[in-house]
């Protein structure tokens, strides 16, 4: 854990970093109080592996820049694999990112109380058990690259609120949730584009409330930006299969299969 960084750059070049937090409260890497004009950088050749602890990669109060050019693998955390909080600067993960909490209680990526720009451009592979795959409240998101995926057997895959999809768009090849409150929840997303990759899939099953909720957004959602994308909502859905409410942006589905909803299969209003 480091103190405040003011007016300088801390650089890691080409190292392999392996840290284990065990079962205690510590985080694998904790970077905080990076002031405007300051930076922490991990070069493209740097490989980071973090196991156990609370959060794997914990970024707090970033008003400057944190850039991670190499691969990041996080496993076995009780909190988020990557946690960003109270940050107004830029955070860039440019290498392959993997969060594997399939055998732990933690979530994938959590972004809270922040208005900065957060980019994941090298590919994301997120797997949780009961945790949320991607939880973001505020901020601008850029998630690009190929093969991005979220698998959340007993938690929500997506929970987005008051975010903006960045200029690069946000794209996933597959999203799967087979339990949790909602499979995919996008609320108050102001603008930008969200895509499911060609021949990709969305599979939201057994949600306690809605399988997919998109509400009060101005963004474009393409659950199929070409043919071959299938969206499946089923199992035992506590409320509505797909709910689209008070949206001004464009929303597209290529192929949809819905069953098992306790209320409507699809509910559309004020769009």
């Amino acid at each position: 854990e480091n103190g405040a960084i003011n007016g300088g750059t801390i650089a890691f070049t080409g190292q392999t970093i392996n840290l284990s937090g065990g079962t205690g409260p510590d985080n694998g890497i904790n970077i905080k109080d990076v002031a405007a004009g300051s930076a922490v950088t991990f070069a493209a050749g740097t490989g980071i592996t973090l196991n156990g602890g609370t959060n794997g990669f914990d970024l707090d109060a970033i008003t400057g820049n944190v850039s991670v050019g190499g691969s990041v693998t996080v496993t076995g955390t009780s909190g988020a694999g990557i946690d960003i909080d109270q940050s107004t600067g830029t955070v860039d993960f440019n290498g392959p990112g993997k969060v594997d909490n399939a055998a732990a209680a933690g979530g994938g990526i959590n972004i809270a109380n922040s208005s900065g720009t957060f980019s994941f451009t090298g590919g994301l592979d997120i797997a949780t058990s009961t945790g949320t795959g991607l939880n973001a409240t505020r901020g601008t998101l850029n998630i690009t690259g190929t093969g991005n995926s979220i698998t959340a057997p007993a938690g929500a895959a997506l929970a987005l609120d008051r975010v903006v999809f960045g200029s690069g768009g946000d794209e996933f090849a597959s999203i799967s949730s087979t339990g949790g409150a909602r499979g995919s929840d996008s609320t108050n997303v102001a603008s930008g584009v969200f895509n499911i990759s060609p021949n990709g899939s969305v599979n939201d099953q057994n949600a306690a409330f809605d399988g997919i909720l998109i509400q009060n957004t101005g963004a474009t959602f393409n659950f199929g930006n070409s043919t071959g994308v299938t969206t499946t909502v089923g199992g035992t859905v506590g409320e509505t299969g797909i709910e689209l409410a008070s949206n001004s942006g464009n929303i597209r589905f290529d192929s949809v299969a819905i069953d098992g909803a306790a209320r409507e299969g699809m509910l559309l209003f004020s769009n």
Side-chain angles (χ1 to χ4, degrees):
E1 179 177 332
N2 56 274
I5 301 171
N6 292 286
T9 296
I10 296 176
F12 297 85
T13 57
Q15 292 91 348
T16 297
I17 300 173
N18 295 292
L19 299 173
S20 178
T23 58
D26 292 334
N27 304 308
I29 293 177
N30 187 340
I31 301 172
K32 64 181 181 180
D33 298 327
V34 178
S38 300
V40 177
T41 66
F42 297 83
T46 304
I48 300 172
T49 301
L50 308 172
N51 177 257
T54 303
N55 300 318
F57 221 120
D58 193 301
L59 305 173
D60 186 26
I62 308 300
T63 56
N65 170 256
V66 174
S67 178
V68 183
S71 64
V72 176
T73 300
V74 182
T75 59
T77 62
S78 60
I82 298 172
D83 187 83
I84 302 171
D85 190 25
Q86 299 183 40
S87 295
T88 59
T90 59
V91 175
D92 303 306
F93 285 86
N94 297 318
K98 181 176 182 178
V99 177
D100 185 355
N101 276 330
I109 295 173
N110 181 63
I111 301 170
N113 308 309
S114 298
S115 59
T117 298
F118 312 109
S119 300
F120 301 85
T121 61
L124 275 179
D125 180 6
I126 298 172
T128 69
S129 176
T130 57
T132 299
L134 173 59
N135 183 69
T137 304
R138 301 186 185 277
T140 297
L141 294 179
N142 292 296
I143 300 174
T144 59
T146 60
N148 298 322
S149 67
I150 299 175
T151 303
L158 280 177
L160 307 177
D161 184 18
R162 292 167 288 174
V163 302
V164 173
F165 298 136
S167 58
D170 290 64
E171 183 163 328
F172 284 88
S174 65
I175 294 174
S176 176
S177 169
T178 50
R182 290 185 173 90
S184 301
D185 182 348
S186 299
T187 304
N188 302 311
V189 180
S191 60
V193 179
F194 177 92
N195 289 318
I196 298 297
S197 304
N199 300 310
S201 64
V202 178
N203 181 34
D204 289 330
Q205 306 280 327
N206 304 319
F209 299 103
D210 303 320
I212 295 174
L213 172 65
I214 303 175
Q215 179 174 265
N216 195 33
T217 72
T220 295
F221 288 83
N222 290 317
F223 288 84
N225 56 6
S226 69
T227 58
V229 176
T230 300
T231 301
T232 304
V233 179
T236 303
V237 179
E239 293 188 357
T240 301
I242 297 175
E243 180 175 341
L244 310 178
S246 303
N247 299 297
S248 59
N250 296 320
I251 302 172
R252 169 178 171 168
F253 291 89
D254 279 349
S255 176
V256 179
I258 301 173
D259 64 51
R263 292 169 52 182
E264 305 89 351
M266 182 174 288
L267 175 62
L268 314 176
F269 65 92
S270 299
N271 294 290

